[in-house]
Amino acid sequence: MAEDEAVVLPLCASAALEEGGAAHVWDVLEHGRPARAFALRFDGVVRAYMNRCLHVPVELDWQPGQFLDSDKRFIICSIHGATYEPEDGRCVGGPCGRGRLTPLAVKEQGGLVHWYPSADVRPAPPALAG
Ligand code: FES
């Protein structure tokens, strides 16, 4: 685990994540399987989650990188409208039950957004990244 904690990867420029704007989406390996994650800015803070609905394990965005509802208040699933609190990923409406999106550790520093991979969610090899 100590080796994982030492890995820090730049994701994108801080300026690329505008309040209420498009998210940065990237490829990861979750427990060794290809998956996608996203980072967006909400109330000035960058939050990142696995791009997977709790209702059915599909990606959430209704257009590439677009995760927020029309009021820019909640993360919304494009399939059946499950809504999630951007601050903590908690399900607040629709068919996502009492769960929450899987959070990923991110931090802004020096004008960049950095991701801290974990033992469960690791960087995808370049051949898998798209
Ligand atoms: S798949 Fe997301 S609400 Fe049904």
Side-chain angles (χ1 to χ4, degrees):
M1 299 290 181
E3 142 190 343
D4 295 326
E5 290 166 10
V7 176
V8 181
L9 295 176
L11 284 180
C12 64
S14 289
L17 297 183
E18 296 178 2
E19 182 71 33
H24 177 79
V25 181
W26 78 101
D27 294 298
V28 299
L29 289 179
E30 184 181 34
H31 301 290
R33 290 187 295 272
R36 295 189 36 105
F38 68 98
L40 52 71
R41 187 178 302 283
F42 185 81
D43 275 354
V45 178
V46 177
R47 314 279 183 179
Y49 299 100
M50 292 301 299
N51 186 2
R52 186 178 55 245
C53 187
L54 296 178
H55 179 218
V56 176
V58 297
E59 295 189 349
L60 297 156
D61 36 343
W62 48 272
Q63 298 228 340
Q66 299 295 328
F67 290 84
L68 296 176
D69 64 7
S70 58
D71 293 334
K72 311 281 188 201
R73 175 62 190 88
F74 295 106
I75 294 168
I76 187 166
C77 177
S78 62
I79 305 299
H80 307 112
T83 51
Y84 300 90
E85 179 61 63
E87 291 177 353
D88 59 10
R90 185 171 42 96
C91 175
V92 291
C96 44
R98 294 172 180 254
R100 63 181 61 206
L101 299 173
T102 302
L104 300 179
V106 290
K107 188 174 176 182
E108 290 189 270
Q109 192 168 34
L112 294 173
V113 177
H114 295 91
W115 169 40
Y116 295 74
S118 67
D120 295 338
V121 183
R122 305 181 60 79
L128 295 176

